[in-house]
Amino acid sequence: NGDKCLCYDEITDADNVCAIRWGDQVDRLTIASGTLFFKQPTTACSYDWCDANPNHWFCLTENTLQLRDYFFDNLGGFNLTKSSNANSQNDCLEFCQEHDACRYATNVNGDKCLCYDEITDADNVCAIRWGDQVDRLTIASGTLFFKQPTTACSYDWCDANPNHWFCLTENTLDLRT
C-alpha cells in the first residue's frame, strides 16, 4: 500500500517515555518493516506489546502450528467459543483476538475461523497430533494460533477417537490391484 510516515509528540505528563518491545507472542513478520526515529535517547519499556494490549490479534501470531499436523479441541483442553466464515487470516485473527487460541482453515467451501479458550480446569492443555492413521490431505489446510506456547499431547487423534473415519484414511489399497 506504499510507504507511510507517522509523527508523534511526546506526552508531556507521562510518567515514563519508552519504546514498547513486541515481545514473545508477536511474529515479527506480521509487523511492517521500518524505523523509529527519536530526537532524544529512548529506553525500552519494562513491558511488551501483549502485556499492554493482551487482546490484540498480534498476540496470536508467534505460537503457531499447521492444521494438517495438529488439531485442538476439548480433549486438548480447549473449548470452542465462537466461529465465523473468514475473508482472510488477518480477519480471523482480529475476530478471535480476545481468545486464547484460533483456528483458521481454508477449504473449497470457504474459509472458516474458530475461536477457542483454554478450559480452566483442564489437566493438560496441548495440541493433538493427527497421527499415522490419518491422511493429512483429508484435513483442510490452515493454521492454529495460540497466545501461549502449546505442547503436543502425549496421544494422537486416533488414540482419542479410534472410531472416527479420519483413522481409516492413511492405510489404503487400490481395489483394482
Side-chain angles (χ1 to χ4, degrees):
N1 294 347
D3 295 343
K4 292 189 182 203
C5 180
L6 302 170
C7 301
Y8 297 90
D9 287 325
E10 186 176 303
I11 300 171
T12 55
D13 60 347
D15 292 336
N16 184 23
V17 175
C18 57
I20 299 175
R21 297 170 291 109
W22 289 113
D24 295 339
Q25 292 175 267
V26 179
D27 177 9
R28 300 310 184 279
L29 297 177
T30 304
I31 309 303
S33 62
T35 305
L36 298 172
F37 298 96
F38 301 92
K39 286 186 177 178
Q40 300 295 323
T42 303
T43 60
C45 298
S46 60
Y47 52 89
D48 66 29
W49 175 262
C50 294
D51 292 335
N53 304 283
N55 290 329
H56 195 280
W57 68 270
F58 283 1
C59 303
L60 283 165
T61 59
E62 179 59 27
N63 301 300
T64 64
L65 295 170
Q66 292 305 302
L67 184 55
R68 286 198 168 153
D69 295 326
Y70 290 91
F71 183 76
F72 60 84
D73 63 5
N74 60 343
L75 291 173
F78 289 94
N79 197 22
L80 177 63
T81 308
K82 64 182 182 179
S83 65
S84 174
N85 292 329
N87 294 323
S88 70
Q89 180 174 290
N90 284 357
D91 286 347
C92 182
L93 289 167
E94 285 184 53
F95 181 71
C96 293
Q97 66 188 358
E98 297 176 5
H99 301 280
D100 296 326
C102 170
R103 182 174 86 189
Y104 175 70
T106 58
N107 59 52
V108 294
N109 298 330
D111 297 352
K112 194 73 176 164
C113 179
L114 298 110
C115 309
Y116 294 82
D117 286 315
E118 289 182 14
I119 299 171
T120 54
D121 59 348
D123 292 334
N124 185 24
V125 175
C126 57
I128 303 167
R129 291 170 288 111
W130 287 112
D132 296 336
Q133 294 173 278
V134 178
D135 177 5
R136 301 303 188 294
L137 296 178
T138 306
I139 310 302
S141 64
T143 307
L144 305 173
F145 299 90
F146 306 89
K147 283 194 177 169
Q148 299 298 324
T150 302
T151 60
C153 298
S154 60
Y155 52 88
D156 68 29
W157 175 261
C158 294
D159 292 337
N161 302 286
N163 296 325
H164 194 279
W165 68 270
F166 280 179
C167 303
L168 293 169
T169 59
E170 180 59 31
N171 301 306
T172 62
L173 294 173
D174 187 334
L175 185 61
R176 293 173 281 184
T177 58

